[in-house]
Amino acid sequence: VRSHCVKEIHHVTEQDNSPLSDAERANRHGAGCDPAKRNQIMVGAKRAFMERGFDAAGVNDICQIAGISKSTLYVYFDSKEDLFEAIIEQERDRLFLGMAEILQSGDTPEKVLFQFGTKIAEIICSPEVVQAQRIIIGIADRMPELGARFFSGGAMRAQVDLTNYLKRKVATGHLAISDIPLAAAQFIELSIAPLWKPRLFGKMSTLPSDHDIEISVSSAVAMFAAAYGNGTT
């Protein structure tokens, strides 16, 4: 099996930015079927990106930190951008673990929203997410498509999940909302309003305390209920 997975590939230099054909991409990713090796590359790349930023972390740096050759990296990933996106996706899946269960709870909307807002605040203010956001902002002008995918997979993912929850609660008469996607976006922003920007811009150098998050999210829930509740929450 191992001999089937490990295929011979041509050497790719760091300066080789030519686009891959679908066949080349399939061959490379077909070769990279060792989960442990893939994880080794991603761990090393994450360290490089977090320490040096996206632009400063070159492929050679990533390979040195990960303890691999450049040709091995290109068996598993098409480019530095591809590798960065894979790391973001992996971290996002880890951080969002359990979010769906919160929105499936049978508790009152106020309790569910408090739990959801708390989880969102913890994620958004975490060191990993703050650093990733800073990296994305720094390269958004040159690679807007990367920024768009980052936003769609993170902020929009949470907003869509909350929108679907609110639709169910409107349908059952627990809430009265005319523009549900807008209300979902408003609640998320309210939950993190006093916490996120201070973290992003370095004004708040440490994680907000549980008490600070509780105050922020409780206020968001109260404002949301005042605007959209119908007395049955």
Side-chain angles (χ1 to χ4, degrees):
V1 174
R2 184 174 181 82
S3 61
H4 173 73
C5 291
V6 182
K7 301 177 181 178
E8 192 76 24
I9 65 169
H10 64 279
H11 179 69
V12 182
T13 66
E14 186 172 1
Q15 288 73 35
D16 182 9
N17 293 317
S18 57
L20 296 175
S21 68
D22 291 340
E24 287 174 325
R25 186 174 289 107
N27 285 338
R28 285 186 180 181
H29 287 175
C33 61
D34 183 351
K37 181 62 67 175
R38 178 182 171 87
N39 185 67
Q40 178 185 343
I41 297 170
M42 292 177 70
V43 169
K46 179 183 176 182
R47 178 181 158 193
F49 288 135
M50 294 300 106
E51 290 179 355
R52 308 182 187 187
F54 180 83
D55 286 324
V59 172
N60 286 331
D61 299 319
I62 294 169
C63 291
Q64 182 178 9
I65 293 173
I68 59 165
S69 67
K70 194 181 297 183
S71 59
T72 297
L73 185 148
Y74 283 111
V75 168
Y76 289 83
F77 300 96
D78 298 335
S79 62
K80 187 171 76 169
E81 291 80 4
D82 181 37
L83 176 53
F84 181 70
E85 285 195 78
I87 293 169
I88 293 297
E89 183 178 351
Q90 182 186 66
E91 286 299 298
R92 181 186 296 130
D93 289 344
R94 180 181 67 83
L95 290 169
F96 274 81
L97 190 65
M99 290 291 285
E101 287 77 3
I102 292 175
L103 296 176
Q104 296 299 325
S105 168
D107 285 335
T108 64
E110 288 184 345
K111 289 182 179 179
V112 171
L113 289 172
F114 178 78
Q115 294 171 5
F116 184 84
T118 299
K119 184 70 171 178
I120 286 291
E122 291 172 348
I123 291 172
I124 293 295
C125 294
S126 67
E128 299 90 345
V129 172
V130 167
Q131 186 62 24
Q133 289 172 334
R134 289 170 178 167
I135 291 173
I136 290 293
I137 290 170
I139 62 177
D141 285 342
R142 292 183 292 103
M143 289 180 280
E145 70 286 347
L146 188 59
R149 289 195 294 270
F150 178 85
F151 180 77
S152 296
M156 282 305 300
R157 171 176 170 177
Q159 186 175 324
V160 168
D161 288 347
L162 182 56
T163 295
N164 291 333
Y165 169 78
L166 295 178
K167 285 180 179 179
R168 296 196 299 271
K169 294 304 158 183
V170 169
T172 56
H174 289 87
L175 297 170
I177 306 172
S178 58
D179 190 333
I180 298 176
L182 175 61
Q186 288 172 334
F187 179 74
I188 291 172
E189 294 299 319
L190 285 171
S191 295
I192 62 175
L195 308 172
W196 171 56
K197 285 185 180 178
R199 282 288 288 148
L200 182 65
F201 293 105
K203 177 68 174 178
M204 184 187 296
S205 59
T206 59
L207 286 169
S209 67
D210 292 344
H211 179 66
D212 289 339
I213 292 176
E214 181 179 355
I215 290 175
S216 178
V217 178
S218 294
S219 177
V221 171
M223 294 176 70
F224 193 87
Y228 298 118
N230 61 4
T232 63
T233 57

